[in-house]
Amino acid sequence: MTDRPRQETQVQVVSTRPTTARAVWTKRALTLGMTGIGLYVVWPSLAAVFESGPQLKTVNPLWGLPIALAEVASFVCAWALLRLALDERRWFPVATAQVAGNAISRLVPAGAAAGGAMQWDMLRQAGVSMTWAATSVTAVSLISTATLFGLPVISIISILITGAPVEHNLFRAGSIAVIVCLGLLAGGAVLLFADRPLLWIGDLLQRARNRVLRRRPPMAGLPERLVDERDLIRRVLGAGWWQALIYSAGNWLLDLVALLFALAAVGAQPRASVVLLAYVAAALLGMIHITPGGLGFVEAGLLGMLGVAGVSPHQAVLATLLYRLASFWLPMPAGAVAYGLFAHRYGRPRHIESGAARRRA
């Protein structure tokens, strides 16, 4: 890794517009209302998964080890990708910030923003530049999403070569994902080499941030800082872009391996190439953050897509439960442990400390 300057964010205070209590409670009520509607829609699938809990005793407990190891390896790839984007040698702050942010994103409705903010503040507390952390986390998210859309390419090529049977609608969904992947790659190339689109996005994000966080001092100059940090990331990833792709693909594929192990644990033997298409469709549903971490939408997507992939309803429900225990539920207590270890070494993130002080006052 090469040394690079770390420029701290300069926040310009312009004016403050206090948010009324009514506006805050209205926003919270709308969020909770949307969450309730989302859970109502997906509740039948979620309930079917929960009700299969007693059937776990029919599964050999030794299967839990490879499922858990696959998920741990998936997280390690995510840490390596973020570490590469940050040009950061230390593993501890990157890993603990990612695990804690991931846990927060799964605990609250529309938690992606809260998890990202937690991760950003923890990295800043560990000594990473504010703008660099924000830009790197955003870049990692874009790389990861583009990789997810690109995975059906592997599946479709494998299906065409082996002649594996696949339901027509599932194949069409995979083809659409390939087209979206190409669009994302083209858009990423534009953002990587053109300044004007990035300046427009930065201005849009800055306006949204200042409108939402009216109690905090307004931010200014974000578009220009994004361009500066983009140039730094481009130089850092210039020689390591292939590593970023490997880490991003490993993050998704190892999570898929955990699902394949769960299917094997319940006796299902579908073709991996067909399961990959089903997995991508379910992962896209998981990006619907109406419910915490896409809870219910992922379960509904997996049950439907695994059925299309040829898995029996009983096996699909039990495999989904095994997979979600390892990929969704267990990382949440791990996030609390990671945050505790981080706070012990670096202290609590500053905005959390100030919030706690205000509540005590």
Side-chain angles (χ1 to χ4, degrees), residues 57-128:
K57 62 183 180 182
T58 64
V59 179
N60 189 332
L62 293 179
W63 278 108
L65 181 60
I67 294 174
L69 288 177
E71 284 297 337
V72 171
S74 175
F75 271 85
V76 171
C77 286
W79 305 338
L81 176 59
L82 182 58
R83 181 170 171 264
L84 177 67
L86 289 168
D87 192 18
E88 177 61 63
R89 297 179 181 274
R90 298 170 296 171
W91 282 92
F92 180 82
V94 172
T96 51
Q98 192 276 333
V99 174
N102 177 74
I104 287 294
S105 68
R106 302 178 183 204
L107 284 172
V108 298
M118 167 70 77
Q119 188 174 350
W120 177 45
D121 279 307
M122 291 177 69
L123 290 171
R124 181 184 62 176
Q125 183 75 4
V128 179

Side-chain angles (χ1 to χ4, degrees), residues 27 64 84 104 131 166 168 174 176 179 187 198 215-216 221 224 230 244 270 285 301 309 316 355 360:
K27 181 180 177 181
L84 177 67
I104 287 294
T131 310
V166 58
H168 176 71
I176 294 174
I179 296 174
L198 193 59
R215 291 185 175 181
R216 298 186 183 181
E224 293 75 16
R230 187 278 314 275
L285 288 174
R360 286 194 299 269

